[in-house]
Amino acid sequence: MQKLCSSSLWPVYGLDALRQLEHHLQSGSPRPLMQLAGLAAAQLALAIAPHAQRIWVAAGPGNNGGDGLEAALQLHQWGKQVLVSWMGSTAHTSPDVLLAWQRASAAGVALQSAVPEAWAKNMNDQDLCIDALLGLGANRALGPEMQACVQAIQKFPGQVLALDGPTGLNLENGQWMGSSDAQTVAVRADHTLTFIAAKPGLFMGHGRDACGHIWLDDLGHRANDSDVPPQAWLNAAYAPPVKSHASHKGSHGDVAVIGGEPMALRGMGMTGAAVLAATAALHAGAGRVILSLLSGQAIDHAPPDLMQRDWQRLDLEQLHVVCGCGGGEAIRARMPEVLQRSAQLALDADGLNAVADDPGLQNLLRQRAELKPTVITPHPLEAARLLKTSTAQVQSNRLQAAQNLATLFHCTVVLKGSGSVIAATGQTSRINTSGNGRLATGGTGDVLAGLVGARMAQGLGPFEAACCAVAQHGQLANNWPAELPLTASAMAQHLR
């Protein structure tokens, strides 16, 4: 068993692949996997709540509930007071779950069907609840009985350990099950123990908030023992490129940032977004950074380290271009040249919106392909516009949406959000695990775009540059002092 952290480069498997792995393991194991999972859960329970005297196991009717019954059996045999609320029926259950129920019952584990309201009054913050209601494959809204049990777990005074994943969370995509208000009846665990392999929903969407500390027990699975490929990998921490003593400013690439709609166009100037992206590229170590505002005019408040130049005077064929930040409507007229001429391109924000609205620009983006590397960095709404679908559809399968964009436009994609996804044709996607809610502030996406541009300028390929930038961007937020506000401008200046 091991704890999965934000620096883990770990394979992630979807439902179908996990079913194959489970079948492979069960056929080669001398002991039922449910018993192994229950033992692992009991061991972790003692580790995280060593002083617990009372342990409540909320067990669902399926295999997840069977894991909970096996955990209850072990804890009971180790001298703990254990009560199981089992929502199943011996007449309507699988042979493995029935065996787990029989073993627990024969050992004297207290079993009942109701939520233990009277018993729960004697529990305190040293005690433990094990959420074994629903696991892998659950994706429907919770019924009334399940909702009542989850609400009781929400009020539990001690720690909560979820098995496989917190009840109410879709382990495929990290979204709440059922309607948008399902969050009111979802478990927020302090710890989550997942079995066999990591699941994508634990690291995306609401999974980042619902799971607490994530632990993995592989139940004997070894990556080399199976030919089932992972759906994705967790994105590991990357060290920023180091400048050698013999290098000079020309050794680390030239980045041009094109964006910043002027106030005069629509009465809503957005030059700050372009300045943020350029500042990020500068502090991330690009050799030279050129700020090219769409007004064609220089501004006085830009950092003095930045060069400012009219976009028409840019030698795009020699530049790593970051385009779209604060571009507004003004960026549309520039897009054909940017797409056709830029040596390398990081396309963000209004640059993406312009492409989404124009089939001609979409064709130009596809034509760049491998000869002119491109990274696009959409948030879910921008991704939905590009894919001609809804934000909800994008969020329901973020891995697939990112891969669809990569295939459609022949580029590297950073689908931003909780658990940003990095995808490219011919690559196994990455799910980023660094970062936190403090990034939900205006301008942090512009900082990321500038950082991607800098990493490409420093010689990284588009996929590697995107992985590196996203990991570093999130880690900076993780390391930010709690007493200091996290703003995009401050973040850009703390890059390296």
Side-chain angles (χ1 to χ4, degrees):
M1 187 185 304
Q2 55 191 298
K3 186 177 181 181
L4 299 182
C5 62
S6 61
S7 61
S8 301
L9 182 62
W10 202 263
V12 177
Y13 291 85
L15 175 61
D16 292 341
L18 281 163
R19 294 297 191 212
Q20 294 180 57
L21 294 177
E22 186 176 19
H23 177 75
H24 175 76
L25 279 173
Q26 188 63 79
S27 62
S29 175
R31 189 175 180 184
L33 291 185
M34 194 168 286
Q35 294 180 22
L36 295 176
L39 176 60
Q43 290 170 335
L44 182 58
L46 290 186
I48 63 178
H51 303 297
Q53 292 302 311
R54 290 165 292 272
I55 298 175
W56 173 37
V57 180
N63 287 348
N64 196 248
D67 296 340
L69 288 165
E70 290 289 353
L73 167 62
Q74 297 291 335
L75 291 165
H76 172 77
Q77 291 177 336
W78 296 341
K80 298 295 183 180
Q81 297 180 41
V82 183
L83 177 63
V84 178
S85 296
W86 187 50
M87 302 181 69
S89 165
T90 55
H92 302 92
T93 192
S94 71
D96 288 343
V97 176
L98 180 59
L99 176 60
W101 180 87
Q102 291 170 339
R103 282 163 47 84
S105 180
V109 176
L111 299 166
Q112 64 177 50
S113 59
V115 174
E117 294 183 6
W119 201 67
K121 292 179 179 179
N122 297 318
M123 304 188 83
N124 57 47
D125 59 4
Q126 297 291 310
D127 293 328
L128 180 70
C129 171
I130 296 178
D131 166 24
L133 291 171
L134 295 175
L136 184 65
N139 56 20
R140 292 182 293 181
L142 306 181
E145 186 179 12
M146 193 75 71
Q147 288 187 32
C149 199
V150 169
Q151 288 167 346
I153 294 174
Q154 289 176 330
K155 299 175 184 177
F156 188 77
Q159 293 192 87
V160 176
L161 167 62
L163 302 189
D164 235 11
T167 296
L169 181 73
N170 187 316
L171 301 187
E172 286 279 84
N173 57 30
Q175 300 302 300
W176 300 126
M177 295 179 192
S179 61
S180 59
D181 63 353
Q183 55 193 350
T184 60
V185 286
V187 171
R188 269 71 163 185
D190 299 287
H191 298 265
T192 294
L193 173 60
T194 194
F195 301 113
I196 302 179
K199 286 85 174 171
L202 303 178
F203 306 97
M204 294 192 293
H206 300 294
R208 299 288 301 280
D209 296 312
C211 292
H213 301 288
I214 300 175
W215 303 80
L216 170 68
D217 193 295
D218 57 30
L219 304 185
H221 165 63
R222 300 293 181 270
N224 295 334
D225 293 343
S226 171
D227 57 1
V228 179
Q231 186 177 13
W233 289 82
L234 300 184
N235 191 36
Y238 281 75
V242 177
K243 293 185 176 182
S244 66
H245 289 284
S247 65
H248 53 82
K249 62 185 179 183
S251 305
H252 303 285
D254 295 342
V255 174
V257 176
I258 303 175
E261 181 181 84
M263 179 76 74
L265 186 62
R266 293 186 300 154
M268 50 184 298
M270 297 186 287
T271 57
V275 173
L276 284 170
T279 304
L282 182 70
H283 284 267
R288 289 172 293 208
V289 180
I290 304 167
L291 175 62
S292 183
L293 297 175
L294 295 172
S295 65
Q297 298 177 348
I299 55 174
D300 295 333
H301 63 269
D305 319 74
L306 297 177
M307 295 182 284
Q308 297 192 61
R309 190 173 300 169
D310 188 294
W311 78 274
Q312 296 182 39
R313 298 181 58 194
L314 295 176
D315 187 5
L316 294 176
E317 288 83 359
Q318 305 301 318
L319 292 170
H320 303 83
V321 177
V322 177
C323 179
C325 300
E329 294 295 327
I331 197 66
R332 293 176 184 269
R334 314 291 187 252
M335 287 301 299
E337 284 200 60
V338 168
L339 290 171
Q340 292 177 88
R341 294 175 51 203
S342 302
Q344 298 199 43
L345 177 63
L347 192 59
D348 186 44
D350 290 318
L352 296 172
N353 291 330
V355 170
D357 291 341
D358 189 331
L361 295 180
Q362 294 166 25
N363 287 332
L364 290 178
L365 178 55
R366 292 187 191 98
Q367 290 167 15
R368 291 180 58 83
E370 295 181 4
L371 296 178
K372 295 179 179 179
T374 306
V375 177
I376 65 174
T377 57
H379 56 54
L381 177 57
E382 291 161 348
R385 289 170 179 158
L386 290 165
L387 291 170
K388 309 303 180 187
T389 186
S390 66
T391 304
Q393 285 295 319
V394 169
Q395 294 293 74
S396 70
N397 195 336
R398 288 172 54 80
L399 283 167
Q400 189 61 56
Q403 191 59 57
N404 287 346
L405 282 170
T407 301
L408 180 62
F409 294 115
H410 311 306
C411 63
T412 295
V413 177
V414 175
L415 178 56
K416 295 183 289 192
S418 175
S420 292
V421 177
I422 305 101
T425 303
Q427 299 280 355
T428 302
S429 296
R430 300 284 182 87
I431 301 173
N432 192 62
T433 55
S434 64
N436 54 54
R438 300 180 76 181
L439 289 171
T441 186
T444 56
D446 304 309
V447 172
L448 177 61
L451 181 54
V452 171
R455 294 295 174 248
M456 287 200 292
Q458 292 165 322
L460 297 183
F463 184 76
E464 188 178 10
C467 291
C468 177
V470 172
Q472 185 184 358
H473 185 258
Q475 194 58 49
L476 186 57
N478 287 348
N479 296 339
W480 203 263
E483 68 277 8
L484 297 179
L486 176 59
T487 63
S489 57
M491 189 178 195
Q493 294 173 37
H494 280 78
L495 291 169
R496 61 181 180 87

